[in-house]
Amino acid sequence: MKAHDGMYIGGEWRAAAGTDLIAVVDPADEQVIAHVPAGTAEDVDAAVSAAREALPAWAATPPAERAAKIAALRDVLVARKDEIAETVTAELGAPLPFSQKVHAGVPILVAGSYAELAASYAFEEKVGNSTVYAEPVGVVGAITPWNYPLHQIVAKVAPALAAGCTVVLKPAEDTPLTAQLFAEAVHEAGIPAGVFNLVTGLGPVAGQALAEHGGVDLVSFTGSTAVGKQIGATAGAAVKRVALELGGKSANVILPSADLAKAVGVGIANVMGNSGQTCSAWTRMLVHTSRYDEAVALAAEAAAKYGDRIGPLVNAKQHARVRGYIEKGVAEGARLVAGGPEAPREQGYFVSPTVFADVTPEMTIAQEEIFGPVVSIIRYEDEDDALRIANGTVYGLAGAVWAGDDAEAVAFARRMDTGQVDINGGRFNPLAPFGGYKQSGVGRELGSHGLAEYLQTKSLQF
């Protein structure tokens, strides 16, 4: 798609307040493919003003009509699915089949789920002699990451619109073209002017201005825990609501009774998808000592199959960061059984699928989020030891448990300090709440729980 040279504010594309530009780079060949404007505090202020002006009418729009608009948006995304996939591939580097299935397909599924929820949600209920109303929070400042550019936008914008909120979106500077395409889809769907607004820009400038703006009632942020803490502190000072989906270091716990080949194979695939750039990826594989050597061999074999099937990392900084973690793993005594820090290609930000064995829980690669195609295999002695290791990080976003039967896996999963756990390869559910414990965040996305984040309650007593 051709990049816009302005911001989408108040239902139209407007010239940016400043003249600075952001270069969009294709990570597969390191070539600049477009430029977008670097938004300023002035751009953010204009967008928030448009959102506040549109808020009363949109909040008063009957839920069924809001649902119809979200359904229309979903239909536009369906019609432009190929363009979405091609755009994500160009600016993120994901292989086209993955972009078609995940980067384009999942947001369409989520948008459809909110079209249905907007029409069926109980925005009013009787509680004794009271009537309790669920009302929109107000103007939402949505700050989204680059790793799933359209999914993260839809996961915030769709429930916000369903709730009756208006939105100002500041997308990641690495993937702004997908956000511009989404703004086009919003316009084509006939969503009223000012209900959705887009400001492209850098996090420390446009993102910070949005988080600090007095006209924003809720900040919804997905990204690093470090930045999430800053946004939380800023919002706390203003007594402003936040929804934070942050980092992860998820455990893939394989109990002795599990189908080892399946658990290892699915576990490796889970991390290699999106080149490991997934906050919920199961990057720690926990295996009982009696089956450890077999699991290591299976993991090395599985990872080797992804050598030419995964895309590059998003940018040069991320490329250097992931290779640095791999080097640190070697330096701290972990054993490489697949991949390594050497770049597999001369051009592009590629990293080889990497598997470490003999990882101990205190190692850096077992504690910190790498955000690349790197798996650490950790041995445990018994279930209590496995639980201690699984819960032994500051994160608690996602995870998996494998066992001979679901009941055994569920019993273990219920003891994990994490927000979402897949049992024996459970399928993705767009209606299930997603979010973390501990430093993995505050609040939930997806389904009715995600919608509730954008609502506040009012009770009237009779």
Side-chain angles (χ1 to χ4, degrees):
M1 66 170 287
K2 184 179 182 297
H4 290 273
D5 58 4
M7 311 297 185
Y8 184 74
I9 297 175
E12 62 183 5
W13 292 95
R14 300 184 188 178
T19 59
D20 289 347
L21 297 175
I22 298 171
V24 183
V25 177
D26 183 338
D29 61 14
E30 304 177 48
Q31 300 300 305
V32 175
I33 57 175
H35 290 86
V36 299
T40 64
E42 186 177 346
D43 294 306
V44 169
D45 187 62
V48 173
S49 295
R52 293 221 70 86
E53 184 177 349
L55 178 61
W58 183 248
T61 299
E65 293 183 24
R66 298 200 297 260
K69 291 297 185 183
I70 298 170
L73 174 60
R74 183 269 320 276
D75 292 344
V76 175
L77 296 177
V78 170
R80 302 184 69 171
K81 183 176 180 179
D82 289 343
E83 184 181 1
I84 291 168
E86 291 166 1
T87 301
V88 174
T89 291
E91 61 183 354
L92 178 63
L96 188 58
F98 189 83
S99 290
Q100 291 169 330
K101 180 179 180 180
V102 177
H103 287 294
V106 172
I108 289 169
L109 190 65
V110 172
S113 74
Y114 278 113
E116 295 179 4
L117 272 170
S120 62
Y121 192 84
F123 290 96
E124 177 182 335
E125 66 172 329
K126 295 288 186 179
V127 181
N129 66 309
S130 302
T131 301
V132 179
Y133 297 90
E135 299 181 342
V137 169
V139 173
V140 173
I143 303 174
T144 55
W146 46 260
N147 61 325
Y148 289 90
L150 185 60
H151 169 63
Q152 295 292 352
I153 290 171
V154 171
K156 297 182 188 304
V157 175
L161 299 190
C165 298
T166 56
V167 180
V168 177
L169 169 67
K170 204 299 286 184
E173 52 263 35
D174 290 291
T175 53
L177 302 181
T178 302
Q180 289 189 343
L181 196 157
F182 179 78
E184 292 179 359
V186 165
H187 193 85
E188 188 176 340
I191 291 173
V195 171
F196 170 82
N197 307 273
L198 169 67
V199 175
T200 55
L202 302 176
V205 180
Q208 184 172 343
L210 184 58
E212 294 177 348
H213 201 289
V216 172
D217 301 294
L218 181 151
V219 179
S220 180
F221 169 79
T222 297
S224 72
T225 295
V227 176
K229 289 178 179 179
Q230 295 173 8
I231 290 175
T234 298
V239 195
K240 182 184 299 186
R241 283 179 54 175
V242 295
L244 305 173
E245 197 266 279
L246 308 176
K249 193 68 183 176
S250 301
N252 179 19
V253 182
I254 304 174
L255 297 177
S257 62
D259 179 336
L260 186 65
K262 183 178 180 181
V264 171
V266 174
I268 294 295
N270 173 274
V271 177
M272 298 307 157
N274 215 41
S275 303
Q277 299 170 129
T278 303
C279 55
S280 57
W282 310 333
T283 52
R284 295 181 297 147
M285 184 180 291
L286 277 56
V287 184
H288 189 266
T289 188
S290 65
R291 310 192 72 183
Y292 188 81
D293 292 340
E294 183 183 357
V296 169
L298 287 168
E301 181 182 358
K305 297 176 182 178
Y306 288 89
D308 57 357
R309 291 166 54 188
I310 65 173
L313 301 179
V314 69
N315 56 34
K317 180 180 178 181
Q318 185 67 12
H319 187 236
R321 168 188 166 88
V322 172
R323 293 175 69 186
Y325 270 113
I326 296 172
E327 291 169 352
K328 195 169 188 66
V330 173
E332 291 184 357
R335 174 167 56 97
L336 271 174
V337 296
E342 296 79 14
R345 306 188 193 183
E346 292 184 2
Q347 190 176 42
Y349 306 127
F350 291 90
V351 171
S352 297
T354 298
V355 177
F356 280 105
D358 301 339
V359 178
T360 57
E362 70 277 1
M363 287 182 180
T364 302
I365 58 172
Q367 288 292 319
E368 297 184 12
E369 185 174 42
I370 298 172
F371 229 57
V374 182
V375 177
S376 297
I377 309 180
I378 306 171
R379 71 173 74 235
Y380 67 86
E381 299 298 328
D382 54 33
E383 283 199 15
D384 287 341
D385 189 34
L387 186 68
R388 176 186 63 81
I389 297 169
N391 290 341
T393 74
V394 298
Y395 300 110
L397 185 56
V401 181
W402 301 81
D405 64 78
D406 288 351
E408 181 185 2
V410 168
F412 188 94
R414 289 297 305 272
R415 299 166 67 196
M416 294 173 69
D417 296 334
T418 191
Q420 189 173 83
V421 184
D422 291 354
I423 301 297
N424 285 327
R427 301 189 309 276
F428 171 71
N429 179 3
L431 298 179
F434 177 75
Y437 286 19
K438 300 188 286 188
Q439 292 189 28
S440 284
V442 176
R444 294 294 182 268
E445 291 188 327
L446 304 181
S448 60
H449 292 79
L451 176 56
E453 292 292 332
Y454 300 93
L455 295 167
Q456 54 191 350
T457 54
K458 177 185 291 179
S459 64
L460 304 182
Q461 283 63 248
F462 295 88

